[in-house]
Structures are given as structure tokens and as C-alpha cells.
Amino acid sequence: MDRISQLPDFIVHHILSFLKTPKDLVRMSVLSKTWLHLTASFPILDFSIGDFRSGESFFSYVEYTTSRFCHQNLPAHSLRLVKFLRDPADLDIVDRCLERVFRNGVNELVIYLHNYSDYPEPPSDSEESASDYEESPSATAMPRYRLPNTLLSVSVLTSLTIFGCDLPSSFMVDALKFKSLTRLKLENIHIDDEMITYLATSCPLLQVFEIRSCPGFKRFCVHGHQSLQEVDISFDAPVERIDIEAPNLYELSVADEGETGQPQMNLASCKKLTSVSYEGCPLPNDFLSNFPFVENLVLFTCYQGNNLKLSSNSLRTLVLTSDFDLEEIELSTPALGLFIYSCNEHYSGLGISHLPHLELCMRCYLDDSIDTLWFQKLRLFLDKKNGFKALNLYICMDQKLTVLENLKAVELPPYELEHIELHFEHEESSDHATFVDAVLCCFCPRSLTLRSSFPLTTFEEKSPLVKFTYEKLLEQEFQGQTSIQIVSPYSTKAQKQFKGLMSLPRSLPRQEKAISFIKEEE
């Protein structure tokens, strides 16, 4: 029995939403006349050139599907259109299809239209293969696609993403009816200061506002907006000012991709603004004065000859990706509980999602350039009364470690810590023992955990690295009044030891191996 056809249409549409490609939807439509009707009224219109062999078959499917759907006089839940435009005729087809959908209404709209005349060769994020990228004679004179004026009247629109188009010709003339819009993302669109203010004013429910690589604007000014919660701005041409007055704004991301210099910022009135991300050089010492309530800060910046000085009484989490040496970083952040430091952007996101959260912790992502001097700088950095109780070192070594010599000649005693986590990305080798030796020359932890995500690595009590680590920890307790227990970090004994210091993730990577060493007084 065809019981699925007996379900309400909206439930069947939800089932169909899990289909991955238009080809699957077409296959479903041949089951029966009922299924043909259900696929014709399917309110999720997803058109991407990557699902088709040619541009001709793509546009044929787009025209047929939108015409069949709109013939039923139904509003669409979502429309997604992704295509490179290579011929002026493409513009007419896109225009007809969008006009049909806009007349009936759409809740979520995503339009990515790349212009072939803007690219001498296919961009890396293109969904078209290189063989499909054949510039037609008319492509060099291809105009950018301009969205139809009917877009401005789609009052049910809740989410709008536009890439590579021009805004409607009557944008600043006709009244916007985006009274339901909560998310707006504009990318690679020419837009000026007045347009930004007009958009914010005309969208009272707007919660998320993103502007990426949009030439033309010098200032981003939004005043008195009660709904705005997240703002994301990236630019590669100079921006003079970012001025936001929004009482519910809690997250801001600014990326100066062209390194044109930090714009003047005025966000002091945003008392809920607790999360800030900034990418750019240089970074002035008074940077955090713009964000008096910040708790979470992500910085991508580079060394410009001066020390990096950050001062904040509210900052709790700091993620820094930079080529600043540790000796060039000065923190005055009494509430800081987690400091994530990486000198290589490639490593900055590795392992964060599944690692245990260590309170009052410094987490470092290291490449293969670490040496004796680096360990000395780390030791001195922690000695600046930063108050960290735990240290997490994520090691991704593709080559041999730089020879670690003369660490024992450092006159400073080992820095005492509650806990150290060493996460190795590669298969166990002699380099790991060298690294453990260097760590324990500089630090004296009450407990230590070895972790590895490499599938062939096994941390067992009899493995060479575990034996070496055990012996080195015993050497630190030369009075012989301390024993070393080797346990699983997820055992009851370890949980008791780490209570108040570590909260474990809900689920662990299938391949992860880990073992802990706990010092106990006899």
C-alpha cells in the first residue's frame, strides 16, 4: 500500500527535503500521479549547476520547475540559485524564473550568480568543472545581473543572501517591504553608506546582518535598531567608521582582508556585545576600549614591530592566531579563563570541538618550528602571573622536531601546573618522547594526559612513550613520597582528580586514544 501518499502534503514535503539532488526528486515524481503532484508543489527550489551536466540542461530544469510550481499559485519556502552566467540569454532566463517566484512569495532566498567576465578562469569555489568553463565570445561584455524590482515587495521574506548581483534599480525609490526579514547577507555587491542605513531602517526585525567584500561603502552606521544581534563585516578597501547602536547586539565580526587599517569604531553603547572577532593589521593597544563588555575575543593579526597589549576586566576567552612571539604578548585580563594561541592559521581550528574544556587553561597549537627558545618563552609567559592552572599543547609535527638542547640549563625552576594535556596528531615516534622531555623540563604538573587521534597509535602502560613519561614524572618527585597512577582520563578516579578543572565532551572521536598520569602522595 502507498501509505506515504496518504500523509498530509506538508509532511511529505518534509520527507522530500532530505533528497540530495534534483535527480532524486524527478525519480520520485514517476511513482504515481499523486507523487507527481507532490513534487510539483514541493516548496524547496534548489538549483545548483553542480547537479547538472550542462548549462542548457540546468536552465531547462529551472524554467520547467519554477513554471510548474508557480502555476499552482503557491508561495515557496526557499529558493537557492547558484550559477555562472556566460551568455546574455542567461540573464533573461534568470529574470523570468525569479519574477515568477517573487510574485507568489518566498521565505528564504539565496542567489549566487558569478559573472564569467569577472573571472579569467573558474574560481576555486566554483561548482562547475574546468571543462565546463568555456568563455563564450559574448562573455567578455557580460553585464552583471540586476535583481528585479519585484524583490522589494516580497513581504514574507525572512532570509536573504545575494552574491554577485546588482540591487534592483528602484532600490532607493520604492519602499522596502522586508518587514519579516531576520537574516541578510550581501557579498560582492556594490553598496554605499546610504544603502546600508536604508536597509537597516527598513528591516525592523533584522537579527543578522552580513556584508562581505562589497565595494563602495566607507561607513557602516546603524542607530537605534532593537532587533539586531549579529553583524559580520569584511572588506578589502578602506572603511572609515563602524558605528552601531543596538541594545541587543551580542556578536560582531570585522575582517580587514586588505589590511587597510582598523576603522574607527563606536560600539560602547552595545552592552550585550560580548563576542568579538577581528582580523587585520595593525592592532592598536587601545583596541579593547571599543568593547568594554567583551567576554570572548578572536583575533587574527600579525606582528608590526610593537608588542601586543590587551587589557580588559571582562575578557574570559581569547583566541589569538598571530606570528607574535609569546614574549611580545602582554595581557592584563584578570577574568581570562581560556587562552588559545596559534602562530599558524592552519592549525588554529584543529581539535577544538572534541577536546575537554580545561578551566584557567592556555592552549597552544604548534607546528614543527618549536625549539628550546620557544619553550623558554612559554615558561616565562606563564610566569607573568597569568594564573593558568592547565596547559594544553596540540602538536602537529610533519617533520623532525628542532633539536631541543640546553633546556636543563635554564635556571628557572619548573612551573607548577594542575594539569597538562599533550595531543599528538601523528603516529607515535621518538620525537614524541623528545617533546615530553622538553615539557617536563619546564613544567611540573600534578597530572598529565597523552592524547592521539592517529588511528594506529595506542597508548598502553607498556608502550615506550608511556614508560618514558612515567619515569620522567617520577624524576620530578625526587623525595620518593609520591606515586604515579596510570589511568584512563575518563575513569572515575580521573574524574575525581579533574573535578572543577575539566568538563569532558559529550562524545569522543572514535579513533582517539588517551591515557592519564596522576600524582598521589603516599
Side-chain angles (χ1 to χ4, degrees), residues 294-308:
V294 66
E295 296 181 3
N296 308 298
L297 177 63
V298 178
L299 287 179
F300 295 84
T301 189
C302 60
Y303 181 65
Q304 294 286 319
N306 297 317
N307 287 0
L308 177 63

Side-chain angles (χ1 to χ4, degrees), residues 403-421:
V403 178
L404 299 169
E405 299 175 343
N406 301 323
L407 272 173
K408 295 181 180 180
V410 178
E411 297 182 358
L412 292 173
Y415 187 88
E416 294 186 1
L417 288 167
E418 290 290 325
H419 185 67
I420 290 180
E421 296 257 336

Side-chain angles (χ1 to χ4, degrees), residues 43-98:
I44 299 176
L45 307 173
D46 192 346
F47 308 120
S48 174
I49 185 62
D51 298 326
F52 295 83
R53 293 182 179 180
S54 68
E56 183 178 356
S57 61
F58 169 78
F59 278 121
S60 294
Y61 178 76
V62 171
E63 284 223 85
Y64 169 73
T65 304
T66 56
S67 176
R68 186 178 63 160
F69 176 80
C70 293
H71 182 70
Q72 302 182 67
N73 199 29
L74 295 172
H77 173 270
S78 61
L79 168 62
R80 180 176 180 268
L81 180 62
V82 180
K83 181 65 174 72
F84 266 87
L85 302 176
R86 72 173 73 211
D87 191 278
D90 297 346
L91 304 179
D92 296 331
I93 299 175
V94 172
D95 219 40
R96 288 197 300 271
C97 296
L98 291 183

Side-chain angles (χ1 to χ4, degrees), residues 181-424:
L181 194 68
T182 60
R183 302 182 66 91
L184 175 61
K185 179 179 179 179
L186 305 178
E187 185 171 358
N188 191 24
I189 294 175
H190 190 280
I191 188 170
D192 59 31
D193 304 355
E194 187 179 0
M195 290 178 175
I196 293 175
T197 303
Y198 182 60
L199 276 167
T201 304
S202 303
C203 304
L205 299 184
L206 190 64
Q207 298 177 12
V208 181
F209 195 176
E210 296 183 47
I211 294 182
R212 294 181 170 272
S213 303
C214 291
F217 78 100
K218 296 292 184 181
R219 297 188 173 200
F220 183 97
C221 297
V222 177
H223 293 156
H225 203 294
Q226 300 297 314
S227 302
L228 196 60
Q229 299 177 10
E230 301 175 37
V231 172
D232 189 338
I233 307 170
S234 68
F235 50 90
D236 48 24
V239 171
E240 299 172 358
R241 186 177 181 84
I242 296 176
D243 191 344
I244 302 177
E245 179 187 331
N248 291 302
L249 183 71
Y250 68 85
E251 184 173 328
L252 173 71
S253 178
V254 178
D256 179 10
E257 297 178 345
E259 297 186 2
T260 59
Q262 181 195 324
Q264 184 179 356
M265 297 189 189
N266 180 21
L267 299 104
S269 65
C270 302
K271 296 183 179 181
K272 293 185 180 180
L273 181 56
T274 56
S275 296
V276 175
S277 173
Y278 182 80
E279 176 183 350
C281 300
L283 191 70
N285 289 332
D286 63 346
F287 174 76
L288 286 183
S289 64
N290 299 299
F291 315 105
F293 307 102
V294 66
E295 296 181 3
N296 308 298
L297 177 63
V298 178
L299 287 179
F300 295 84
T301 189
C302 60
Y303 181 65
Q304 294 286 319
N306 297 317
N307 287 0
L308 177 63
K309 298 180 181 181
L310 296 175
S311 177
S312 171
N313 291 325
S314 59
L315 191 63
R316 297 180 180 274
T317 300
L318 172 61
V319 180
L320 175 64
T321 299
S322 175
D323 56 358
F324 274 95
D325 278 342
L326 288 170
E327 64 180 352
E328 298 159 349
I329 301 172
E330 299 179 20
L331 303 180
S332 178
T333 51
L336 190 65
L338 177 62
F339 175 35
I340 300 177
Y341 168 77
S342 173
C343 55
N344 190 322
E345 185 176 352
H346 173 69
Y347 301 120
S348 60
L350 295 176
I352 290 179
S353 59
H354 66 262
L355 285 179
H357 171 65
L358 302 176
E359 298 180 6
L360 294 175
C361 172
M362 178 177 177
R363 183 179 296 174
C364 298
Y365 293 82
L366 313 177
D367 55 22
D368 52 15
S369 63
I370 53 177
D371 54 15
T372 300
L373 181 59
W374 188 90
F375 273 101
Q376 292 176 358
K377 291 178 179 179
L378 175 60
R379 169 66 181 80
L380 291 171
F381 177 80
L382 289 175
D383 208 31
K384 293 179 181 178
K385 297 181 180 180
N386 287 301
F388 296 118
K389 293 182 180 180
L391 177 66
N392 184 301
L393 300 180
Y394 187 100
I395 305 100
C396 186
M397 298 178 294
D398 294 322
Q399 301 175 4
K400 289 288 183 180
L401 277 171
T402 304
V403 178
L404 299 169
E405 299 175 343
N406 301 323
L407 272 173
K408 295 181 180 180
V410 178
E411 297 182 358
L412 292 173
Y415 187 88
E416 294 186 1
L417 288 167
E418 290 290 325
H419 185 67
I420 290 180
E421 296 257 336
L422 303 180
H423 187 112
F424 297 100

Side-chain angles (χ1 to χ4, degrees), residues 460-476:
E460 300 174 348
E461 293 190 24
K462 295 182 180 180
S463 75
L465 182 59
V466 171
K467 286 184 177 180
F468 179 84
T469 305
Y470 176 82
E471 293 170 357
K472 286 296 177 180
L473 288 170
L474 277 180
E475 288 179 9
Q476 290 186 336

Side-chain angles (χ1 to χ4, degrees), residues 73-205:
N73 199 29
L74 295 172
H77 173 270
S78 61
L79 168 62
R80 180 176 180 268
L81 180 62
V82 180
K83 181 65 174 72
F84 266 87
L85 302 176
R86 72 173 73 211
D87 191 278
D90 297 346
L91 304 179
D92 296 331
I93 299 175
V94 172
D95 219 40
R96 288 197 300 271
C97 296
L98 291 183
E99 287 275 10
R100 291 190 192 112
V101 177
F102 291 167
R103 280 197 298 268
N104 290 340
V106 57
N107 296 122
E108 300 176 5
L109 178 62
V110 177
I111 301 178
Y112 272 73
L113 296 180
H114 304 261
N115 195 321
Y116 266 66
S117 60
D118 292 339
Y119 301 93
E121 55 187 42
S124 57
D125 62 347
S126 169
E127 297 192 30
E128 295 187 78
S129 65
S131 61
D132 293 328
Y133 191 92
E134 297 176 357
E135 186 176 5
S136 65
S138 59
T140 55
M142 273 284 292
R144 284 167 65 96
Y145 175 70
R146 182 175 293 279
L147 292 162
N149 291 325
T150 49
L151 170 65
L152 306 179
S153 300
V154 185
S155 58
V156 297
L157 199 62
T158 60
S159 178
L160 175 60
T161 299
I162 306 173
F163 178 96
C165 308
D166 286 337
L167 294 175
S169 58
S170 63
F171 176 72
M172 296 297 290
V173 178
D174 294 345
L176 285 180
K177 296 183 179 179
F178 295 164
K179 303 304 181 183
S180 302
L181 194 68
T182 60
R183 302 182 66 91
L184 175 61
K185 179 179 179 179
L186 305 178
E187 185 171 358
N188 191 24
I189 294 175
H190 190 280
I191 188 170
D192 59 31
D193 304 355
E194 187 179 0
M195 290 178 175
I196 293 175
T197 303
Y198 182 60
L199 276 167
T201 304
S202 303
C203 304
L205 299 184

